[in-house]
Amino acid sequence: MAEHNEIGQKGEQIASDFLKNKGYTILETNWRFKNLEADIIAQQNKTLIIAEVKTRQSNYFGEPETFVTKQKQKNLIKAAHAYIERSNSDFEVRFDIISIIIGKNESKVNHIEDAFLFSH
């Protein structure tokens, strides 16, 4: 497996653990619909959280969250619509970005709630 894939998987596990520790319920990880993917789908009270996880080994080229493009946001919104339809969910929806920098000795997690908006 390519090193960037291993880093991504490690970041997603760190993000899942982070959310669990904050009291979120993880409903899905790497949820797929056609060619779309949501890294984490979680629930907190009556809110459905669609989280994009961005993991890097440094912020040399910028903070990881800056790599969530408008196209990625559109794709996450489409994936959220599909998930809501399939699960018949009636929750409020929030899009978060979890930015992780994996260092040699520790990892830095930045949880950005309501990172972008959508209307349904």
Side-chain angles (χ1 to χ4, degrees), residues 19 24-25 27-28 31 37-44 47-53 68 72-84 87 89 91-98 111-116 118:
L19 290 175
Y24 291 65
T25 301
L27 302 175
E28 303 280 350
W31 186 82
E37 181 183 14
D39 291 332
I40 298 174
I41 299 175
Q43 181 182 340
Q44 183 186 46
T47 303
L48 188 68
I49 292 89
I50 311 296
E52 174 68 9
V53 180
V68 179
K72 182 62 178 174
Q73 291 176 22
K74 288 178 185 177
N75 289 345
L76 281 171
I77 291 166
K78 288 179 188 175
H81 278 290
Y83 182 83
I84 291 164
S87 65
S89 174
F91 295 147
E92 291 292 317
V93 178
R94 188 179 83 208
F95 292 91
D96 292 2
I97 298 173
I98 302 173
H111 181 196
I112 304 162
E113 296 181 7
D114 264 332
F116 54 94
F118 89 114

Side-chain angles (χ1 to χ4, degrees), residues 42-111:
Q43 181 182 340
Q44 183 186 46
N45 302 319
K46 294 282 186 184
T47 303
L48 188 68
I49 292 89
I50 311 296
E52 174 68 9
V53 180
K54 285 293 181 193
T55 308
R56 299 287 186 269
Q57 291 182 301
S58 78
N59 60 354
Y60 182 79
F61 294 106
E63 295 301 322
E65 64 269 18
T66 63
F67 293 91
V68 179
T69 64
K70 289 290 184 195
Q71 185 59 52
K72 182 62 178 174
Q73 291 176 22
K74 288 178 185 177
N75 289 345
L76 281 171
I77 291 166
K78 288 179 188 175
H81 278 290
Y83 182 83
I84 291 164
E85 262 184 34
R86 286 186 172 194
S87 65
N88 207 17
S89 174
D90 193 27
F91 295 147
E92 291 292 317
V93 178
R94 188 179 83 208
F95 292 91
D96 292 2
I97 298 173
I98 302 173
S99 155
I100 300 170
I101 297 176
I102 296 178
K104 290 188 191 323
N105 301 319
E106 66 180 352
S107 298
K108 177 186 156 199
V109 178
N110 183 18
H111 181 196

Side-chain angles (χ1 to χ4, degrees), residues 21-35:
N21 289 337
K22 287 180 72 174
Y24 291 65
T25 301
I26 305 299
L27 302 175
E28 303 280 350
T29 56
N30 300 314
W31 186 82
R32 290 187 170 280
F33 173 73
K34 296 183 180 178
N35 64 331

